[in-house]
Amino acid sequence: MTPEQPTRRSVVDPDGDVSTAANTPLTRRQLREAARTAAKDAVAADAEATEVELDSERGPIVAEPVAESDEATVQQDADAFAAAAKALSFTGETSVIADRAQTRAANGQRSVSADAVRPGTRSRRIMTTATASLSAMAVVGLLAVGLTTPLGALMGGEESEPTAAALSTPDAESEEDEEIQAFVAAEGAEAPQLDRIDDYEAASFVDMAETAGIDTAGAFFTNDPTADIQWPFAAGTSMSYGYGMRSGRLHAGIDFTPGSGAPIQAIADGTVRVATESGGGYGVTVSIDHVIDGEVITSHYAHMQYGSLRVTAGQKIEVGDVVGLTGDTGHSFGAHLHFELLRGEATFDPMPWLQEHAGTHFTDSESDTEDDDLDFASEDSESDTQ
């Protein structure tokens, strides 16, 4: 068993007995004093041994005295070691822990911690404490950064490039093309003052028609400008004569009186058969072939103004296209439109037919069928003309 390190000087009882002190570490000062005392005792012992040797050299050289002087020197060395061990409280035995109060009273000194006996222990403790403090501060700092920093800022590389889509989902990526763009005005921004035009008014389609020159007074019909079949004028107007016998002869159409110069429009999609300013009694006249309900219907517009023709023979036109302007050419007594409908070469009353078909809207399939039939009818009309 390794003897314990000396922790305190031995305490001498009044009776001369040596009792060990409490197992309390000595201070550095106490250690230095014990070391100095042991050194002095050793030096004194060496001096005594030297004197003995000198005395033995001066005297006669005899074997016995020399042996006695060596024994004395060994005894003195042993006494010096015992004195040093006594000073350092080193007995080779386990120290007996005495009452701490009695030890302090006997030595007149305070007890010290074991760190005083170990050089560098205090420095290591300071370093350990400082390292632990720094580690704790680093952990707290990392927690603070992690709690206050947005997730997108901690993601590096390509994942953090689109800041607006850092937390994007597949649905958000599929709507990139439909991204909503908005402008946020700065605080305090004022909208610019816009000039307001007060001299305007809402205009109906009838008003526009009147502006175009159509007299709507006495109108007996209402036109739908979005329909696939319409009346020959964009807005309702009056009439003077209808279909039937007049002065002993057949009046084969309707006379519309919208006023001179009123624009005349095609009643449906079709192909122009005739467009001429030399129409005899009809004056400036236009005939258009239409395919409606599977049959060819020809619309005829007469007495238009000279120089007002807007179409040519063979031209394909759409419903609502202007063909000319209301005039007073041919056998006419006042500006009006003489309008006829024909099946083949025979005329029939346009009024019931217009009242039934005007305002009709075709579906896409019906429009395609009408166009195909119209192409076929146009080819037949051209062969008949030749």
Side-chain angles (χ1 to χ4, degrees), residues 10 12 27 33 55 91-92 115 123 132 134 204 210 213 220 236 239 350 352:
S10 300
V12 181
T27 64
E33 291 177 356
D55 292 338
T91 62
D115 293 342
S123 300
L134 291 175
S204 65
E210 291 179 347
F220 67 95
M239 61 174 286

Side-chain angles (χ1 to χ4, degrees), residues 5-12 18-21 26-42 78-91 107 109:
Q5 296 292 332
T7 57
R8 201 178 186 90
R9 289 183 299 176
S10 300
V11 178
V12 181
V18 178
S19 63
T20 57
L26 297 176
T27 64
R28 294 181 180 178
R29 183 175 179 181
Q30 292 172 345
L31 291 173
R32 286 196 298 270
E33 291 177 356
R36 282 196 295 269
T37 303
K40 289 179 180 179
D41 293 340
D79 294 339
F81 176 77
K86 182 179 180 181
L88 295 175
S89 301
F90 176 70
T91 62
N107 295 334
Q109 298 176 353

Side-chain angles (χ1 to χ4, degrees), residues 135-149:
S135 300
M137 292 175 63
V139 171
V140 173
L142 290 176
L143 288 175
V145 172
L147 294 175
T148 57
T149 304

Side-chain angles (χ1 to χ4, degrees), residues 271-305:
T271 302
V272 178
R273 174 185 289 188
V274 177
T276 181
E277 291 187 350
S278 303
Y282 291 111
V284 179
T285 185
V286 170
S287 295
I288 304 173
D289 292 332
H290 316 274
V291 177
I292 299 173
D293 292 339
E295 64 175 348
V296 178
I297 301 294
T298 302
S299 60
H300 183 204
Y301 314 83
H303 306 310
M304 293 186 293
Q305 292 180 356

Side-chain angles (χ1 to χ4, degrees), residues 69-372:
S69 64
D70 291 338
E71 291 177 1
T73 302
V74 172
Q75 184 64 33
Q76 290 177 358
D77 292 339
D79 294 339
F81 176 77
K86 182 179 180 181
L88 295 175
S89 301
F90 176 70
T91 62
E93 298 178 357
T94 303
S95 59
V96 180
I97 300 176
D99 185 19
R100 185 172 298 176
Q102 295 177 0
T103 303
R104 291 179 180 176
N107 295 334
Q109 298 176 353
R110 61 181 182 179
S111 62
V112 295
S113 63
D115 293 342
V117 190
R118 302 175 184 174
T121 302
R122 181 176 179 82
S123 300
R124 286 195 297 272
R125 174 174 290 183
I126 294 174
M127 290 297 296
T128 303
T129 304
T131 303
S133 300
L134 291 175
S135 300
M137 292 175 63
V139 171
V140 173
L142 290 176
L143 288 175
V145 172
L147 294 175
T148 57
T149 304
L151 180 60
L154 298 177
M155 299 172 64
E158 298 179 356
E159 297 180 357
S160 62
E161 280 185 5
T163 55
L167 301 177
S168 63
T169 62
D171 294 337
E173 293 177 358
S174 64
E175 297 177 357
E176 287 181 355
D177 295 337
E178 300 178 2
E179 181 182 1
I180 299 176
Q181 297 182 354
F183 173 76
V184 180
E187 184 178 0
E190 297 181 358
Q193 296 295 329
L194 302 178
D195 295 334
R196 180 181 178 86
I197 301 175
D198 296 328
D199 56 345
Y200 71 91
E201 59 183 5
S204 65
F205 194 80
V206 174
D207 297 333
M208 296 172 63
E210 291 179 347
T211 303
I214 300 175
D215 184 4
T216 59
F220 67 95
F221 68 89
T222 301
N223 185 63
D224 181 1
T226 64
D228 292 311
I229 300 177
Q230 301 182 26
W231 293 79
F233 292 96
T237 188
S238 58
M239 61 174 286
S240 57
Y241 292 99
Y243 184 88
M245 298 300 294
R246 187 180 68 177
S247 302
R249 46 186 305 191
L250 177 63
H251 184 252
I254 300 175
D255 289 345
F256 291 91
T257 55
S260 179
I264 302 168
Q265 65 178 17
I267 64 169
D269 296 349
T271 302
V272 178
R273 174 185 289 188
V274 177
T276 181
E277 291 187 350
S278 303
Y282 291 111
V284 179
T285 185
V286 170
S287 295
I288 304 173
D289 292 332
H290 316 274
V291 177
I292 299 173
D293 292 339
E295 64 175 348
V296 178
I297 301 294
T298 302
S299 60
H300 183 204
Y301 314 83
H303 306 310
M304 293 186 293
Q305 292 180 356
Y306 287 113
S308 67
L309 287 177
R310 305 286 179 87
V311 295
T312 58
Q315 177 182 349
K316 290 186 177 181
I317 61 174
E318 296 181 354
V319 60
D321 289 347
V322 175
V323 297
L325 302 179
T326 304
D328 188 20
T329 60
H331 296 165
S332 173
F333 302 94
H336 70 284
L337 168 66
H338 178 78
F339 177 77
E340 297 178 354
L341 287 179
L342 301 90
R343 290 187 180 94
E345 298 297 327
T347 62
F348 62 93
D349 190 354
M351 184 64 72
W353 190 94
L354 285 172
Q355 290 174 340
E356 178 183 356
H357 292 85
T360 300
H361 292 265
F362 295 141
T363 62
D364 293 339
S365 60
E366 290 175 340
S367 298
D368 295 339
T369 302
E370 297 292 344
D371 292 341
D372 295 339

